[in-house]
Amino acid sequence: MSKFDTYKNSFANARLTRSPSGVLEVALHTDGGKLLFNGHTHEQFVDLFHQIGADTENRVVILTGSGDAFMDAISPEGFDFFSPRGYDKIFREGRKVLMNILDIEVPMITALNGPVLLHSEYALLTDIILATPETVFQDKPHFDFGIVPGDGVNLLWPEVIGSIRGRYFILSRQVLDAATAKDWGVVNEIVPADRLLARAHEIAEGIAALPPLTSSYTRIALTQKLRRIIDQEGGYGLALEGISAAEVARSMAANG
């Protein structure tokens, strides 16, 4: 039994398939359709990315969604933002999931099959981003819930598109279309939906043909700066998010 066999069916919200050359496709989903992100997936994806990173037979990872969106729906189920113990869990998972993505020491490709309205930082930690014409980016749920966007989007968007653009994107809840995202360096290619995964696999197979240490160490070399940013500043943003969540909880309690 390969290591892949021990975890490939372990995640209720991620469908994993791997080619003989080691190209792992990870499709996030809920019941086979578009992912509904919640507190359970927040916890689950920490281990998902850990298991992928620990499997040395993975040569390239393709991250994608299901249905008509990569990630545009969230439910409060399973989250406890409003108690110290509950937010401690979110804080720990929030830090670990980003580092576990960076600990996947093989090149990563994100194939965005539609809108990304939350957790766009997952994609920004990968090396190549493909998008469909229907893809849009936004950071929506943080301000909808009244809390600080401190989960990594606060760090990565200014890093990728520039400080002024990045802060505007977060503060104004700007909707960024795929063409603008490509112009600003977020997206590498815009691909029709029916060609998206084929193109992702085409690129992945080319990378998988490289000597294993070459492709792996290239990913490591390319992500050193991102690792420093997340390691040094990720916890602070999450702490600020927690403080704002406590204030939201206090206001809700005061208003009955």
Side-chain angles (χ1 to χ4, degrees):
M1 176 182 290
S2 70
K3 180 172 178 58
F4 183 54
D5 292 327
T6 67
Y7 68 88
K8 66 180 180 181
N9 296 317
S10 298
F11 302 99
N13 298 100
R15 183 174 57 254
L16 278 60
T17 55
R18 191 167 72 186
S19 74
S21 59
V23 174
L24 175 66
E25 180 183 307
V26 181
L28 306 180
H29 71 92
T30 294
D31 297 329
K34 179 174 71 175
L35 179 72
L36 176 61
F37 195 87
N38 58 29
H40 307 299
T41 59
H42 194 269
E43 178 179 356
Q44 182 187 143
F45 292 165
V46 174
D47 190 42
L48 168 68
F49 293 122
H50 170 72
Q51 292 293 341
I52 292 170
D55 186 349
T56 57
E57 294 182 3
N58 291 325
R59 297 291 312 283
V60 182
V61 175
I62 298 171
L63 181 64
T64 191
S66 302
D68 61 2
F70 178 76
M71 205 181 302
D72 71 349
I74 187 168
S75 163
E77 182 188 348
F79 282 118
D80 176 6
F81 280 93
F82 302 140
S83 73
R85 291 286 185 180
Y87 195 76
D88 174 68
K89 180 174 183 293
I90 295 170
F91 178 86
R92 290 170 183 273
E93 291 170 358
R95 291 188 65 205
K96 290 290 289 182
V97 74
L98 300 187
M99 292 308 295
N100 287 353
I101 293 173
L102 288 168
D103 282 340
I104 297 174
E105 295 181 336
V106 296
M108 296 187 69
I109 299 169
T110 299
L112 296 171
N113 53 306
V116 192
L117 307 189
L118 61 146
H119 287 305
S120 52
E121 72 274 14
Y122 290 7
L124 298 182
L125 292 175
T126 67
D127 308 297
I128 295 172
I129 299 180
L130 310 181
T132 63
E134 295 76 25
T135 297
V136 296
F137 297 87
Q138 187 185 33
D139 190 68
K140 189 173 187 302
H142 288 104
F143 283 170
D144 283 357
F145 286 131
I147 61 176
V148 172
D151 60 358
V153 292
N154 56 308
L155 303 173
L156 293 170
W157 277 100
E159 173 67 19
V160 171
I161 65 176
S163 178
I164 296 295
R165 283 174 172 169
R167 282 179 280 167
Y168 179 85
F169 173 79
I170 297 292
L171 284 168
S172 71
R173 284 182 264 191
Q174 181 181 15
V175 178
L176 201 63
D177 62 46
T180 305
K182 184 172 183 292
D183 288 343
W184 289 4
V186 181
V187 167
N188 297 107
E189 298 181 18
I190 299 174
V191 184
D194 61 357
R195 282 274 305 142
L196 181 69
L197 284 176
R199 177 59 181 150
H201 279 271
E202 182 180 19
I203 296 171
E205 292 294 345
I207 296 171
L210 292 168
L213 292 185
T214 300
S215 57
S216 174
Y217 287 156
T218 299
R219 159 78 170 167
I220 294 171
L222 288 171
T223 54
Q224 286 303 294
K225 183 180 181 183
L226 294 176
R227 181 178 292 276
R228 286 195 296 273
I229 291 172
I230 297 301
D231 186 49
Q232 294 173 7
E233 302 176 41
Y236 184 66
L238 283 163
L240 298 178
E241 185 173 312
I243 293 169
S244 67
E247 174 65 7
V248 170
R250 188 197 64 80
S251 298
M252 291 173 63
N255 294 327

